[in-house]
Amino acid sequence: MPKIRPPNPAGFREEVIRLCRTSDRPRSQITRELGCSSEWLGRWLRQDGVDEGRSEGLTTNDLEELGCLRRENKILR
């Protein structure tokens, strides 16, 4: 049975991203210390790059809008 973890506190993701960008420590050490997975950290860093325009892809706002539109379409069908 998978472990169920409580949601991260507000601002946790931003703090982890800032720490990774400014620290000399390896990501594996940061994930161990903060208790988050390396997969999630990688996703957060990629999405942060997209949001800041350093990478190609849908921004967080675009993804939220897309989700709303899909829900609305489902209701309308």
Side-chain angles (χ1 to χ4, degrees):
M1 189 159 163
K3 285 171 116 177
I4 297 175
R5 295 178 51 178
N8 293 322
F12 179 76
R13 177 189 290 198
E14 292 80 15
E15 184 63 23
V16 172
I17 291 171
R18 185 196 62 75
L19 186 60
C20 284
R21 300 252 190 252
T22 60
S23 177
D24 293 336
R25 292 182 290 172
R27 288 184 190 175
S28 59
Q29 181 182 0
I30 293 171
T31 57
R32 266 193 317 271
E33 290 173 358
L34 298 176
C36 62
S37 72
S38 59
E39 291 82 16
W40 278 109
L41 178 58
R43 290 178 188 171
W44 293 347
L45 290 170
R46 277 191 298 280
Q47 188 62 47
D48 185 59
V50 170
D51 289 345
E52 291 187 355
R54 293 186 309 247
S55 302
E56 292 291 321
L58 294 174
T59 65
T60 301
N61 290 337
D62 292 342
L63 292 171
E64 288 174 2
E65 182 179 6
L66 182 60
C68 288
L69 292 171
R70 285 181 175 167
R71 281 188 296 278
E72 184 178 336
N73 278 339
K74 189 175 183 179
I75 291 169
L76 292 173
R77 285 185 192 148

